[in-house]
Amino acid sequence: MCAVPVSLVDDLRGHLAPDRVRAEPLELSLYGHDASIVTGGFAAVVCFPISTEEVQACVRTARAHGRPFTARGAGTGLAGGAVPLGEPVVIVTTKMNRILSIDVDDRVAWVEPGVINLDLTRALGVHGLHFAPDPSSQQACSIGGNVANNSGGPHCLLYGVTSAHVLAVEVVLPDGEIAVLGSLDPEPDGYDLRGAFVGSEGTLGIATRIAVRLTPNPPAVRTLLVDFLSVDDAAACVSAIIAGGLVPAALEMVAGGMIAAIEDFVHAGYPVDAAAVLLVEVDGMPAFVEDAAGLVAEISRTNGARTVRVAADETERQLLWKGRKSAFGAVARLAPDYYLHDTVVPRTRLVEVLRKVEAIAEKYDLRVLNVFHAGDGNLHPLLAFDAREPGVLERVHAAGDEIVVASVEAGGVLSGEHGIGLEKRDLMPKLFSVDDLDAQARLRDAFDPDGFANPGKVLPSGSRCGELQRIPPGVWV
Amino acid sequence: MSVLEVFAEEVGTDGPVVAVGGRTQFDVGGPVEASAREVKAPAGIVEHVAAEMTVRVRAGTTVAELDDALGVHGQCVALPAWDGATIGGVLAVGHSGLRRLGWGPVRDAVLEVRYVSAEGRLVKGGGPTVKNVSGYDLPRLFVGSLGTLGVIAEVVLRTRPVAPREQWFTAEGVDPFALARGLYRVASVLWDGTSTWVLLEGHPRDVDDQARVAGLRTIDASFLPPLPKHRWSLAPAALRGMRDDDNGPFVAEIGVGVAHRELPQPPRVVDPTIAALAARVKNAFDPTGRLAPGRLR
């Protein structure tokens, strides 16, 4: 790494208050990571803008110094998307955390990117509305980060992922221009640049204001905890529920050792001797919910469920969900480190892929725990390990790659909600042909012809037909 | 050679070309240059796994035909089934049907798109699973792109369960905006400035209960108002002002923002930054400008 030119810091401090432009070694090191186990990032300088104009100034100053820039929200990303490559200017949006407006009639809110996901839903409670995407990190993750990763969450099974809940985004484009992509009206003219932007992991610009769609709270909700003595039965039950013609609001699975880990941690009453539990939620109008809950219970019993527990009240429902959402905290009691994976397989092939994941973990002598969004086939195999053990990280990475390959071979995809980032960048050719990757590179180049926005992410080098990935001059990658 | 490869050859590598579906909305986006050769995407359902609630279908298939086949399994797609409209055409135009309030926009129904590029290559974006964030969201970019970025050949769509009951109602002397807000997951609320029409879908008991509480009266769908030919797109709240403007009769989709009128919507101001970005996207996908030349200019 090179010393950060004083002039870069000085120029940024010409636009942002000096205490919001940081270049102390501790901070540079801190912002070199996100929540993933991806290493190798290093920030040149870290900026905390508080307005669109300040974000624009950061982008323009970075460019003027020949530096790339990497946007970052709360840093909860698990694919290394916010790990700074090429010693960029890191632009942190956490101080842009105001809810700007809530329009109850049109069911839309304008928010700044640093608003915490759960804070928005809490602010909407009095209106009987919520923001539907609910990643497990929703207490910490920001809506800007949700937009960048097209985040999901348990309830995306029925409600759809973030893209379905973003109407418009004000962005600072990679050339420093400001534009609003999308519109509050339903059929804006021209290309759906909003759609292209959501999930682009900071490579097409930086969101500075976001218009999100608000979802009415359902009049009725029923939550069931169903347990099985075999993972195969539980997985078959998931397929049967979907095949039964009803789309639950959420359909989650917790398997094996994960159940006891959660139970020890939150005491939610999860049956520790079960091989797998399903957390199923149905919501909507009362008659539908009653029938659907009955149908889920019936299908579960047909598929070998041992017990079906229905949450009696909101307190019990919250407790069951707390168990599910605390899973990753609970793992800390089993092993000091973990690597959380994210792939999607067709829902009818869950049984087969779960078995393969088990076999892969065994082959690499790793412990695998499963807690995932079973209803949409979104696996989250979690490899628990102790990083102090020599050579273990190599095994973890090798097992991770094999899990991705097994998922793709079963007709699945690389990521359901964490994104590609750096973690899966070089696995993209497993899913996409040369022509497919070239098309994605064309889109990226149309937004960012000079390659300044979050370089080195999403697309492997060589994605552009006939040329290497372009790197801005003077950048170390 | 596969069906899609044959189609890619037909699209070819040079000369202006335009994809044609059912011609139900062929004039959207402006006229295509007369020199453009017309191509029709292949038709047919490739694979429907009912338990996945997804379907792989070729773009030349009509929406009605697809819905018929899915209906056997109690499923449908959230696309408008205009008479003769094809999957490829409906996606390329991106306009929703009358149930958008309940079903969401067309763009949210698409999981994977396979298209023939301007260079005559078969390209895939997205993936077949219901959840996927692997790479850039080309499927959404293609919805509404009017054939100017590539020719849609095959897609994977999300299916949805057909509601056990659907029923149109009318309401007199109500504020349609308050009505739409008060009903849960209502499929459609139409308003012509005087009368309001409501489509409820769901469990029969829920449909009846919601209708009773809201004071709705059952009608046959044949009594719906005819839709004027031009589409307007407005922020939903702006529909309120239509009754008192000078642009003539309308049928508005409350809560959505689409309005149907006899007069076309005045052209909207395009931000020059957006126009420049869109032009760069177009140029990146179609450097020679051979795809649907004339559209989206």
Side-chain angles (χ1 to χ4, degrees), chain B residues 54 108-113 125-132 139 156-158:
Chain B
T54 61
D108 289 347
V110 191
L111 302 169
E112 176 185 309
V113 58
T129 56
V130 289
K131 205 172 181 188
N132 178 19
V156 178
L157 302 171
R158 177 197 296 278

Side-chain angles (χ1 to χ4, degrees), chain B residues 50-137:
Chain B
E52 291 291 349
M53 299 199 73
T54 61
V55 61
R56 181 179 293 279
V57 62
R58 295 190 189 120
T61 316
T62 65
V63 179
E65 192 185 334
L66 177 61
D67 273 342
D68 282 349
L70 297 174
V72 174
H73 304 276
Q75 297 178 12
C76 63
V77 286
L79 302 179
W82 292 311
D83 194 21
T86 62
I87 301 289
V90 162
L91 295 180
V93 174
H95 288 168
S96 46
L98 287 183
R99 300 180 195 217
R100 176 166 173 162
L101 188 56
W103 285 9
V106 161
R107 62 184 187 233
D108 289 347
V110 191
L111 302 169
E112 176 185 309
V113 58
R114 285 174 194 258
Y115 65 91
V116 182
S117 72
E119 291 85 13
R121 311 282 297 179
L122 274 174
V123 179
K124 176 186 77 174
T129 56
V130 289
K131 205 172 181 188
N132 178 19
V133 294
S134 310
Y136 295 96
D137 197 343

Side-chain angles (χ1 to χ4, degrees), chain A residues 105 107 159 185 187 191 194 203 283 287-288 291 347-348 378 415 417 431 435-436 440 442 446, chain B residues 51-52 107 115 119 121 124 131 133-134 136 140 148 181 185 203 206 231 233-234 237 268 280 284:
Chain A
D105 281 356
R107 287 180 178 154
Y159 293 94
D185 75 76
E187 290 173 354
Y191 299 131
R194 170 213 65 87
T203 65
D283 72 19
F288 165 79
D291 279 16
R347 311 182 253 213
T348 46
N378 189 183
S415 172
E417 55 186 15
L431 190 63
D435 286 325
D436 301 343
Q440 297 192 31
R442 290 179 190 214
Chain B
E52 291 291 349
R107 62 184 187 233
Y115 65 91
E119 291 85 13
R121 311 282 297 179
K124 176 186 77 174
K131 205 172 181 188
V133 294
S134 310
Y136 295 96
R140 279 194 169 84
T148 61
R181 219 171 31 243
R185 282 187 204 159
H203 192 292
D206 292 329
R231 276 176 96 83
S233 176
L234 303 160
R268 286 175 281 188
R280 291 204 300 273

Side-chain angles (χ1 to χ4, degrees), chain A residues 69-93:
Chain A
F69 57 88
T70 293
R72 176 190 176 99
T76 56
L78 290 162
V83 169
L85 291 188
E87 292 197 25
V89 173
V90 171
I91 301 171
V92 185
T93 58

Side-chain angles (χ1 to χ4, degrees), chain A residues 158-230:
Chain A
L158 178 62
Y159 293 94
V161 292
T162 298
S163 189
H165 303 279
V166 171
L167 301 175
V169 202
E170 179 192 77
V171 299
V172 174
L173 292 166
D175 63 3
E177 292 287 314
I178 298 167
V180 176
L181 314 180
S183 168
L184 298 192
D185 75 76
E187 290 173 354
D189 297 326
Y191 299 131
D192 184 8
L193 301 173
R194 170 213 65 87
F197 184 86
V198 176
S200 63
E201 305 194 34
T203 65
L204 303 185
I206 303 177
T208 49
R209 285 194 307 143
I210 303 151
V212 296
R213 195 163 74 87
L214 308 178
T215 303
N217 296 343
V221 182
R222 196 76 51 90
T223 306
L224 300 88
L225 190 77
V226 186
D227 74 270
F228 296 83
L229 293 175
S230 114

